[in-house]
């Protein structure tokens, strides 16, 4: 299958969903189609979910099984053959995980981003010094820190280079979780306030008790396909797709209801700055 080693993009996810609908309209099961074109069932399933790159050759093979009209086949093949926007994430430097590169590619295509981070400052809003402190606390090898930091700074550029719709819900515990020196942490908190004044960036602190404090997650919305959720772990990451993201979409509504207002958030951060200055 052409392009089988290349990860899927949001465009692949939209095309994969369309190919799945065509299979269902043809009344064929995954196993029937996979057998007809001599693919593994898992390969076809991942293609339909957009977790593999979809090549024009793959579309051609499927179109034959589904008996698509030539015009429809050619239209789908043309979409599969459209050039993909390339970025640093296509060849992540040594020390940067492939899952981080995948996340950056999704961010590049997303139209809305929602971060929930109950215990630390979200990555897109971290200062250099705070990021380094977090990485060291997580046990990132010292030799990989510069590469990881460079990738994080590259990701943060999306907040500067295009129209953005980014919301960060931050647990109040993160404002008291001083992972770096006092002066660096105060600079981090002040950076939060500065970023909250930018168009398209919303920062809101959650002080109310919530079961969501169990863990952080990152929800990405796209124009032409379903959402993606990124779950970051200490040594790996997980992506959720389609119906798996429904609970997180609902969670945003609940967080929006309990989070402090934008103004109250800034006041709360200012109060925490004073606390850390006095306590230093």
């Amino acid at each position: 299958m052409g392009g089988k080693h290349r990860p899927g993009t949001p465009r692949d996810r939209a095309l994969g969903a369309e190919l799945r609908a065509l299979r269902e309209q043809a009344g064929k099961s995954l196993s029937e189609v996979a057998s007809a074109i001599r693919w593994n069932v898992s390969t076809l399933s991942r293609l339909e979910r957009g977790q593999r790159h979809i090549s024009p050759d793959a579309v051609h093979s499927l179109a034959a099984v589904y008996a698509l009209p030539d015009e429809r086949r050619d239209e789908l093949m043309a979409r599969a053959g459209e050039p993909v926007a390339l970025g640093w994430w296509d060849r992540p430097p040594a020390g940067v995980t492939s899952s981080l590169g995948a996340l950056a590619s999704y961010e590049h295509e997303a139209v809305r981003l929602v971060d929930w981070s109950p215990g630390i400052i979200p990555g897109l809003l971290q200062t250099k010094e705070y990021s380094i402190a977090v990485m060291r606390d997580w046990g990132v090898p010292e030799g990989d820190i510069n590469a990881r930091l460079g990738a994080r700074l590259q990701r943060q550029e999306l907040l500067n280079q295009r129209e953005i719709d980014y919301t960060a819900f931050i647990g109040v515990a993160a404002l008291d979780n001083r992972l770096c020196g006092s002066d660096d942490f105060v600079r981090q908190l002040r950076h939060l306030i500065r970023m909250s004044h930018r168009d398209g960036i919303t920062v809101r602190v959650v002080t109310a008790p919530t079961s969501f404090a169990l863990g952080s997650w990152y929800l990405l919305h796209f124009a032409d396909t379903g959402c993606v959720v990124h779950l970051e772990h200490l040594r790996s990451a997980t992506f959720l797709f389609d119906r798996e993201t429904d609970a997180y979409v609902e969670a945003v509504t609940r967080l929006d209801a309990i989070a402090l207002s934008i103004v109250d958030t800034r006041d709360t951060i200012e109060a925490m700055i004073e606390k850390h200055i006095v306590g230093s």
Side-chain angles (χ1 to χ4, degrees):
M1 167 183 173
K4 64 182 178 181
H5 298 298
R6 200 158 133 204
T9 66
R11 183 187 301 167
D12 288 316
R13 292 185 61 235
L15 184 55
E18 196 163 344
L19 291 170
R20 180 177 62 219
L22 288 169
R23 174 178 60 78
E24 292 171 348
Q25 288 172 15
K28 297 183 180 294
S29 67
L30 278 170
S31 59
E32 287 175 324
V33 175
S35 176
I37 56 180
R38 298 182 180 179
W39 289 357
N40 292 327
V41 172
S42 62
T43 297
L44 179 57
S45 176
R46 287 173 61 80
L47 179 143
E48 289 188 348
R49 298 188 70 191
Q51 294 175 308
R52 287 184 181 272
H53 171 64
I54 303 175
S55 69
D57 286 345
V59 173
H60 188 278
S61 297
L62 293 170
V65 177
Y66 304 152
L68 296 183
D70 291 350
E71 184 177 340
R72 179 73 167 127
R73 177 201 63 201
D74 293 345
E75 180 245 324
L76 292 172
M77 289 180 64
R79 284 169 54 191
E82 289 175 359
V84 177
L86 299 178
W88 66 266
W89 52 82
D90 290 292
R91 293 181 181 272
V96 176
T97 63
S98 59
S99 61
L100 182 56
L103 174 61
S105 73
Y106 280 129
E107 287 176 326
H108 181 75
E109 298 280 349
V111 297
R112 186 185 177 213
L113 310 166
V114 182
D115 238 327
W116 163 234
S117 189
I120 65 173
I121 307 303
L124 289 184
L125 298 176
Q126 290 180 7
T127 60
K128 175 182 176 181
E129 294 76 15
Y130 183 88
S131 287
I132 292 173
V134 170
M135 291 178 195
R136 285 180 174 149
D137 194 58
W138 281 6
V140 173
E142 199 67 27
D144 291 345
I145 286 180
N146 281 340
R148 296 273 189 98
L149 180 62
R152 178 154 296 174
L153 295 176
Q154 290 268 21
R155 289 177 53 222
Q156 289 177 349
E157 280 300 307
L158 72 88
L159 299 181
N160 303 323
Q161 293 182 344
R162 64 180 176 88
E163 286 190 17
I164 192 72
D165 184 352
Y166 173 72
T167 298
F169 292 104
I170 303 173
V172 69
L175 306 183
D176 211 19
N177 189 11
R178 199 179 75 183
L179 295 169
C180 51
S182 180
D183 289 346
D184 287 337
F185 193 58
V186 167
R187 279 192 285 272
Q188 171 63 81
L189 296 182
R190 285 178 172 153
H191 179 67
L192 279 183
I193 293 177
R194 284 196 301 273
M195 295 299 287
S196 75
H197 284 282
R198 290 197 182 184
D199 291 341
I201 299 176
T202 301
V203 178
R204 295 178 64 191
V205 168
V206 176
T207 59
T210 173
S211 60
F212 295 157
L214 273 172
S216 61
W217 39 263
Y218 188 20
L219 174 66
L220 299 91
H221 294 260
F222 302 92
D224 301 315
T225 188
C227 298
V228 170
V229 169
H230 176 256
L231 304 174
E232 188 171 13
H233 315 303
L234 283 176
R235 293 290 183 271
S236 61
T238 301
F239 290 97
L240 304 179
F241 303 93
D242 304 321
R243 296 297 298 275
E244 297 171 333
T245 70
D246 289 351
Y248 297 87
V249 174
E250 294 171 6
V252 171
T253 300
R254 293 170 61 189
L255 284 171
D256 184 62
I258 65 174
L260 298 179
S261 69
I262 293 172
V263 172
D264 288 344
T265 287
R266 290 172 184 154
D267 289 344
T268 298
I269 298 174
E270 290 282 7
M272 295 302 289
I273 289 173
E274 290 301 317
K275 174 184 174 180
H276 288 290
I277 290 176
V278 171
S280 63

